[in-house]
Amino acid sequence: MSNSDDERSLSERLPDALVEQLDTLEPPELRTVHEYVEQILEEAHPPIEKQIREEAKGDVLAIEDEEVYTLVKMRSPDTGDSDSDSPPVSLYHVTRERHPDGEEALNWSFLGDLEE
């Protein structure tokens, strides 16, 4: 978003016809519009499972979507540093996070290695 967009009011960033229509709505109708806009924004996201598989730096073994967060069991790529036959299975807590610029990205938090 450019600085000129930041300086304009919200109504100046929307089409005039839309602003005029919204200005005629009562609070219950505005709440419905708000819910509708949230639904559209949610649908604009790729499914988190797809995003996880695209970003994973290893072999994803399981994904448990808990709505607010997602647990991911993954075997990291073999780096050859370990004496064992295969790398351990690791557990990650994954959430979508919105950055100040409005972009969203996955945040991966390592929870630990699992016993097999």
Side-chain angles (χ1 to χ4, degrees):
M1 191 178 296
S2 69
N3 285 342
S4 63
D5 283 343
D6 290 339
E7 295 168 5
R8 293 172 31 204
S9 71
L10 290 173
S11 63
E12 290 175 325
R13 289 187 257 166
L14 296 170
D16 291 339
L18 178 58
V19 172
E20 289 173 16
Q21 183 70 34
L22 290 172
D23 285 344
T24 65
L25 300 178
E26 295 295 320
E29 296 167 313
L30 287 170
R31 283 186 199 87
T32 302
V33 169
H34 182 257
E35 290 173 13
Y36 177 68
V37 169
E38 285 182 335
Q39 178 183 339
I40 291 171
L41 289 171
E42 282 296 316
E43 291 171 358
H45 291 291
I48 195 162
E49 287 190 26
K50 179 180 179 193
Q51 212 172 352
I52 286 169
R53 291 187 188 284
E54 289 172 354
E55 287 188 20
K57 306 247 186 304
D59 184 23
V60 175
L61 304 174
I63 297 174
E64 297 175 29
D65 188 357
E66 302 294 336
E67 300 291 326
V68 179
Y69 65 90
T70 304
L71 293 175
V72 178
K73 292 178 187 173
M74 181 171 68
R75 191 178 306 277
S76 298
D78 188 7
T79 59
D81 296 339
S82 175
D83 293 335
S84 66
D85 293 338
S86 65
V89 173
S90 302
L91 183 63
Y92 292 87
H93 176 269
V94 182
T95 56
R96 278 195 174 119
E97 293 189 354
R98 184 177 311 243
H99 297 276
D101 64 1
E103 292 293 318
E104 289 192 1
L106 294 183
N107 180 46
W108 294 71
S109 298
F110 175 71
L111 297 178
D113 290 334
L114 303 172
E115 296 283 327
E116 289 189 69

